[in-house]
Amino acid sequence: MSDDEDDIILSELNDEELVEQMFDDLYDGLKEEIEEGVNILLERGWQPYDILTKALVGGMTIVGNDFRDGILFVPEVLLAANAMKGGMAILKPLLIETDAPRMGKMVIGTVKGDIHDIGKNLVSMMMEGAGFEVIDLGINNAVEAYLEAMESEKPDILGMSALLTTTMPYMKVVIDTMKEQGIRDDYIVLVGGAPLNEEFGKAIGADAYCRDAAVAVETAKQMVARKHNQGVAS
Ligand code: B1M
């Protein structure tokens, strides 16, 4: 259990100190330490969602700020992302282990030119936890990939993620193509990612912009319920 390098024993820290230490460990890309921290918080009765948002996403925000400011570079950020994924892998089955009724189906993917997937993975996890079936197309998806998945999977929802200001306009390419093919209104289109906002979502013709994974789940639930009610009424 002990950390040989600096003798910090994670299990001996109180919750606040442990979360601070996890921020440092995430920053340093220490996957095993992050996994250990997640397990300790679980043993202490923390909810998986709180560990995700407070310890992991909180730590990644610090990484993001220093990446932006030129203090961290791509290799370090990749290590941090890898450590974060280690923690998320432990939490995933716990978030999904609910008795949530089947809510609907979502196809989700990060758009063409963009390889960021942590936020999308988090949304997928939370949606599965809420009872949605999720088909995850991964990263760097061209419009054809979304169209093929919609055709074969017949989801209720199409979700798109973009983390770069240069890739977010591609969401409009996908929506415009859906319009051209006359299938836009067959799906609920939800979009998200750090550089987006409500206005952008409206401007490109999405049904909603989702600030985070929790909002994505709530929005999806409401819109699917509305869609099903309309189906019953008509
Ligand atoms: Co990138 N990167 N990165 N990066 N990276 C950002 C996005 C950046 C803001 C960093 C910065 O400068 N501060 C910046 C973008 C600037 C801009 O466009 N305005 C940036 C840049 C510039 C780049 C490169 C161009 C760097 C370079 O090569 N010079 C390059 C681009 C590569 C490419 O995609 N073509 C690049 C590369 C990388 C890594 C590979 C090193 C790594 C990605 C690893 C991976 O994802 N597997 C990486 C990372 C980790 C980041 C930061 C640090 C963290 C992103 C993250 O995972 N956040 C990021 C800084 C930041 O965002 N503050 C940054 C945690 C995650 C939980 O949040 O993804 O926002 P987020 O998801 C949230 C919500 O946005 C929402 O819910 C999620 C959960 O609550 N959401 C959705 C997201 N998708 C949704 C979809 C939905 C609904 C909600 O659908 C329904």
Side-chain angles (χ1 to χ4, degrees):
M1 292 288 272
S2 73
D3 182 332
D4 291 333
E5 268 173 41
D6 51 12
D7 287 317
I8 293 174
I9 298 172
L10 295 181
S11 59
E12 289 181 355
L13 302 177
N14 68 32
D15 286 10
E16 203 180 319
E17 290 165 342
L18 178 56
V19 170
E20 283 293 322
Q21 184 60 41
M22 286 173 73
F23 288 174
D24 287 351
D25 289 344
L26 193 77
Y27 195 94
D28 294 333
L30 301 176
K31 187 177 177 197
E32 280 178 23
E33 282 76 358
I34 287 297
E35 289 167 345
E36 188 184 343
V38 166
N39 282 324
I40 294 170
L41 289 174
L42 283 172
E43 279 161 24
R44 291 183 188 174
W46 277 51
Q47 292 301 313
Y49 181 66
D50 287 340
I51 301 175
L52 255 184
T53 51
K54 292 181 183 152
L56 300 184
V57 176
M60 192 49 95
T61 303
I62 301 171
V63 171
N65 291 343
D66 280 4
F67 188 30
R68 177 196 61 211
D69 297 342
I71 298 164
L72 287 180
F73 295 95
V74 169
E76 289 114 320
V77 179
L78 267 178
L79 281 176
N82 188 44
M84 171 131 182
K85 286 185 176 181
M88 283 167 67
I90 298 172
L91 298 172
K92 183 173 179 178
L94 304 174
L95 285 164
I96 294 169
E97 210 178 81
T98 67
D99 297 328
R102 286 280 283 108
M103 298 294 300
K105 191 170 184 181
M106 177 175 78
V107 160
I108 189 168
T110 304
V111 297
K112 189 176 169 182
D114 201 321
I115 63 168
H116 295 85
D117 67 354
I118 294 175
K120 168 190 64 63
N121 294 349
L122 225 158
V123 172
S124 300
M125 275 164 58
M126 297 279 298
M127 291 286 289
E128 284 180 344
F132 285 88
E133 183 184 349
V134 176
I135 310 296
D136 187 342
L137 304 180
I139 55 174
N140 193 23
N141 283 287
V143 60
E144 293 79 14
Y146 291 111
L147 293 175
E148 271 167 33
M150 283 185 278
E151 173 71 26
S152 59
E153 300 292 343
K154 308 258 179 294
D156 303 285
I157 304 169
L158 172 67
M160 288 188 278
S161 180
L163 264 287
L164 299 171
T165 45
T166 49
T167 58
M168 56 192 243
Y170 196 78
M171 292 173 163
K172 184 168 183 318
V173 174
V174 177
I175 294 174
D176 286 350
T177 309
M178 290 169 75
K179 284 181 187 162
E180 279 162 30
Q181 301 203 351
I183 59 167
R184 167 64 187 88
D185 293 337
D186 298 346
Y187 304 94
I188 297 162
V189 179
L190 303 181
V191 294
L196 279 64
N197 57 33
E198 201 102 29
E199 289 75 54
F200 177 79
K202 282 203 185 98
I204 63 169
D207 289 297
Y209 153 73
C210 306
R211 190 183 62 241
D212 59 29
V215 171
V217 167
E218 280 319 306
T219 310
K221 279 185 186 167
Q222 283 167 17
M223 291 199 166
V224 167
R226 206 181 304 154
K227 188 179 165 194
H228 288 169
N229 288 341
Q230 279 167 357
V232 171
S234 60

